[in-house]
Amino acid sequence: MNFYVMTLFPDMVINCLSESITGRAIKNGLINVEAVNIRDFATNKYKHVDDYIYGGGSGMLMQAEPVYLAYKHIMESMENTEKTPRVLYMTPQGKTFNQSMAQEFSQEENLIFLCGHYEGIDERVLEMIVTDEVSVGDYVLTGGEIPAITIIDAVSRLVPGVLGKDDSALYESFYDGLLEYPQYTRPEEFMGKKVPEVLLSGHHKNIEKWRYDMSLERTRIKRPDLYEKYLKEHGDGQGKIQRN
Ligand code: ADE
């Protein structure tokens, strides 16, 4: 899967995604991340990419031309453009990113991200190239890079092979629509606190039931919104863990 990120801070994107599981996935050729510096497409000798806002107001706006040229450059560099790739503009005005959007995006072969800075980007180029406006939450960040990194991380771990067998996605949060149950490792006792007895019993059925009950209870307490949704989709919660 190919991720193209249009940004003024390419190092931020590449350095971050080169670590840990996404870094391993890049090395193994399972995902490819290209950060395209919008400033490289400035046409003035000072390499300015922003200007004052028509009609007044504070701050500067990113200009349409360098963004458009960066987009054209990406499109021309793509080998397989049978399907026009989605262009995700990172903005707090967008649809709030969630796990089902991550699933949907993971079906794409190519995804293009547009990261704004300053007060935003000239509306005309947004109208021309953007297919989806995406937010990572109801707060305002200094730019779209951290949202793009967040989305690339969440989508990458759904790409087959990216998670090894040791970091299986099977039981993790949001997979069944429930939060994860508590987990413990050695030692059996830490500062007087013991690992729940059932986990030491070796009784797999009881362990599975305990984990399911804990997931259900945690979700009810911490995320009543998800709990209600789960009950609607799975009945009274008396069933087994739903595996994908
Ligand atoms: N840019 C600034 N804030 C953002 C947010 N919350 N989500 C996506 N892009 C942003």
Side-chain angles (χ1 to χ4, degrees):
M1 181 164 187
N2 301 301
F3 300 101
Y4 300 87
V5 185
M6 293 191 268
T7 171
L8 290 173
F9 301 94
D11 291 348
M12 194 171 163
V13 174
I14 296 299
N15 290 344
C16 192
L17 292 168
S18 299
E19 298 286 336
S20 186
I21 293 175
T22 48
R24 184 181 69 192
I26 292 168
K27 281 202 192 92
N28 293 342
L30 295 166
I31 61 168
N32 172 44
V33 183
E34 280 182 38
V36 176
N37 192 342
I38 295 168
R39 199 173 298 284
D40 290 346
F41 298 88
T43 50
N44 57 79
K45 69 175 175 187
Y46 303 106
K47 294 278 173 199
H48 284 162
V49 291
D50 59 320
D51 212 328
Y52 296 102
I53 303 171
Y54 279 121
S58 64
M60 307 280 267
L61 206 62
M62 278 169 74
Q63 292 170 293
E65 188 185 39
V67 173
Y68 185 72
L69 293 176
Y71 170 75
K72 253 184 55 182
H73 170 80
I74 292 169
M75 293 300 288
E76 282 162 7
S77 76
M78 264 183 205
E79 281 162 24
N80 180 5
T81 42
E82 242 168 67
K83 182 171 179 256
T84 309
R86 286 166 88 158
V87 178
L88 316 184
Y89 175 43
M90 303 295 102
T91 165
Q93 295 185 17
K95 186 173 168 197
T96 308
F97 185 63
N98 61 24
Q99 191 65 28
S100 73
M101 287 160 80
Q103 295 274 8
E104 186 186 319
F105 294 152
S106 72
Q107 305 304 307
E108 303 285 332
E109 195 174 333
N110 300 297
L111 277 181
I112 302 176
F113 292 78
L114 174 56
C115 304
H117 257 271
Y118 313 113
E119 295 303 309
I121 302 178
D122 188 304
E123 192 68 23
R124 290 166 294 185
V125 72
L126 298 178
E127 287 168 3
M128 288 164 77
I129 68 170
V130 171
T131 60
D132 303 79
E133 296 194 341
V134 187
S135 166
V136 290
D138 288 339
Y139 43 82
V140 182
L141 299 167
T142 55
E145 286 74 16
I146 292 170
I149 292 164
T150 302
I151 295 171
I152 293 170
D153 187 291
V155 171
S156 294
R157 64 187 284 291
L158 302 175
V159 171
V162 168
L163 291 184
K165 60 177 173 1
D166 290 339
D167 28 42
S168 162
L170 193 62
Y171 277 109
E172 285 178 60
S173 298
F174 296 102
Y175 247 75
D176 319 297
L178 291 178
L179 301 182
E180 208 166 28
Y181 46 79
Q183 299 184 96
Y184 306 86
T185 185
R186 282 194 285 192
E188 259 181 55
E189 188 174 329
F190 172 68
M191 294 176 84
K193 289 164 85 73
K194 290 192 172 142
V195 172
E197 203 56 47
V198 61
L199 300 178
L200 310 173
S201 69
H203 193 301
H204 295 298
K205 259 212 149 86
N206 287 353
I207 293 172
E208 193 163 306
K209 178 167 188 321
W210 181 86
R211 286 178 166 169
Y212 176 66
D213 290 345
M214 293 304 283
S215 278
L216 211 55
E217 186 58 4
R218 276 201 158 176
T219 312
R220 188 179 69 79
I221 291 167
K222 294 189 188 187
R223 292 291 305 271
D225 56 326
L226 293 180
Y227 182 73
E228 286 306 316
K229 191 161 170 263
Y230 182 83
L231 287 192
K232 273 200 193 99
E233 285 167 12
H234 297 83
D236 61 3
Q238 295 305 305
K240 288 176 84 71
I241 296 177
Q242 302 290 309
R243 291 203 177 93
N244 291 320

